[in-house]
């Protein structure tokens, strides 16, 4: 990391507002021990919604004023892309419902039918969701970045396509890629890629990447990677 910078990267939250609150307390306590002139950066790797029951609460928390003295970066995850796509009327509803969309709608007090079996039912549910989701939440998700760079690290949600410069990456790869990236030993332009998206029991450290998605919605472990100088360490709930 650049001299004088301490960076905190938070993995996939997935509607666990309780874990997010606990982790932010730990981050604030950890940062308080840094020198007063240290630049503090907080990067969220995306997947704020779905699966857990507190998606709305998570976004409310992310919309709150940032931790005092921190710069904050919010990256887009594939689950946010799907959520926005549903609100916009894209034909993805049943796929989104399978991996946590209904839990997100529940958090916004959208009435969930026992069975939504056709286009008319889906459209009615979508219209209820559009009315229930605050415009500030839609604007926040729509404004999330796809990638961020600090020093020798690149931060993305899912990973990158090996051999393609970061500025030329396709959004689909940044949000959805798995095997081609996870099995790659490529140098990635000299950057270590910090990512989530693929659940691991503990943080996964490779020469060219660090995975910090520890399945918080099911495991109760929300993980934060702390980077300063050449040091790496972790905070977790």
């Amino acid at each position: 990391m650049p001299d004088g910078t301490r960076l905190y990267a938070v993995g996939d939250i997935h509607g666990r507002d309780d874990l997010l609150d606990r982790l932010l307390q730990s981050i604030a306590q950890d940062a308080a021990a840094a020198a007063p002139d240290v630049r503090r950066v907080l990067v969220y790797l995306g997947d704020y919604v779905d699966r857990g029951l507190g998606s709305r609460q998570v976004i409310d928390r992310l919309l709150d004023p940032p931790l005092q003295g921190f710069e904050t970066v919010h990256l887009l995850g594939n689950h946010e892309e799907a959520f926005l796509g549903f609100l916009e009327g894209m034909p993805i509803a049943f796929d989104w419902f399978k991996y946590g969309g209904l839990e997100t709608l529940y958090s916004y007090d959208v009435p969930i039918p026992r069975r939504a079996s056709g286009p008319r039912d889906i459209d009615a549910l979508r219209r209820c969701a559009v009315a229930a989701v605050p415009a500030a939440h839609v604007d926040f998700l729509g404004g999330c970045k796809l990638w961020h760079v600090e020093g020798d690290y690149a931060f993305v949600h899912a990973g990158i396509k090996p051999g393609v410069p970061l500025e030329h990456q396709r959004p689909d790869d940044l949000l959805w890629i798995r095997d081609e990236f996870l099995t790659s030993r490529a140098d990635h332009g000299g950057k270590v890629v910090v990512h989530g998206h693929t659940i691991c029991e503990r943080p996964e450290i490779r020469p060219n990447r660090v995975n910090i998605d520890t399945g918080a919605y099911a495991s109760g472990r929300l993980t934060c990677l702390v980077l300063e100088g050449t040091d790496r360490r972790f905070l977790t709930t």
Side-chain angles (χ1 to χ4, degrees), residues 192-207:
V192 174
V193 178
V194 179
H195 67 99
H197 184 60
T198 300
I199 293 174
C200 51
E201 185 176 354
R202 294 179 178 83
E204 185 178 26
I205 302 174
R206 297 289 183 268

Side-chain angles (χ1 to χ4, degrees), residues 43 91 118 137 225:
V43 178
H137 286 207
L225 169 64

Side-chain angles (χ1 to χ4, degrees), residues 71 73 108 118-119 141 151 160 167 198 212 231 235:
E71 301 172 25
V73 177
Y108 286 95
L141 296 178
I160 65 175
E167 60 272 19
T198 300
I212 58 170
D231 294 334
L235 304 173

Side-chain angles (χ1 to χ4, degrees), residues 34-221:
D37 59 345
V38 166
R39 173 175 169 251
R40 297 159 173 82
V41 182
L42 180 56
V43 178
Y44 294 95
L45 297 183
D47 276 8
Y48 314 121
V49 302
D50 298 348
R51 293 184 170 149
L53 296 179
S55 292
R56 175 177 186 152
Q57 292 80 0
V58 167
I59 297 178
D60 279 337
R61 185 70 179 85
L62 297 178
L63 283 170
D64 284 344
L67 293 177
Q68 186 173 1
F70 275 78
E71 301 172 25
T72 306
V73 177
H74 300 100
L75 301 184
L76 188 73
N78 61 305
H79 285 258
E80 285 77 58
E81 181 187 54
F83 183 23
L84 291 172
F86 174 74
L87 294 176
E88 293 166 2
M90 294 176 61
I92 62 170
F94 287 114
D95 287 336
W96 182 52
F97 294 167
K98 289 177 184 176
Y99 55 83
L102 291 178
E103 289 88 336
T104 294
L105 297 182
Y106 171 87
S107 76
Y108 286 95
D109 296 323
V110 174
I112 307 297
R114 290 190 175 185
R115 187 171 187 177
S117 57
R120 184 175 298 178
D121 296 333
I122 293 297
D123 188 60
L125 186 58
R126 185 189 69 80
R127 284 187 278 108
C128 287
V130 168
V133 177
H137 286 207
V138 176
D139 292 343
F140 166 75
L141 296 178
C144 289
K145 297 175 59 176
L146 289 172
W147 54 272
H148 181 72
V149 169
E150 292 275 349
D152 294 327
Y153 291 89
F155 301 85
V156 300
H157 174 63
I160 65 175
K161 189 173 182 65
V164 178
L166 194 55
E167 60 272 19
H168 298 309
Q169 292 282 331
R170 296 171 60 246
D172 276 358
D173 288 323
L174 295 171
L175 299 177
W176 294 90
I177 198 168
R178 277 206 168 97
D179 290 349
E180 185 179 0
F181 166 68
L182 297 174
T183 60
S184 174
R185 297 184 179 181
D187 179 69
H188 302 319
K191 302 295 185 187
V192 174
V193 178
V194 179
H195 67 99
H197 184 60
T198 300
I199 293 174
C200 51
E201 185 176 354
R202 294 179 178 83
E204 185 178 26
I205 302 174
R206 297 289 183 268
N208 60 355
R209 65 181 182 86
V210 180
N211 180 6
I212 58 170
D213 179 5
T214 47
Y217 74 95
S219 68
R221 294 189 300 274

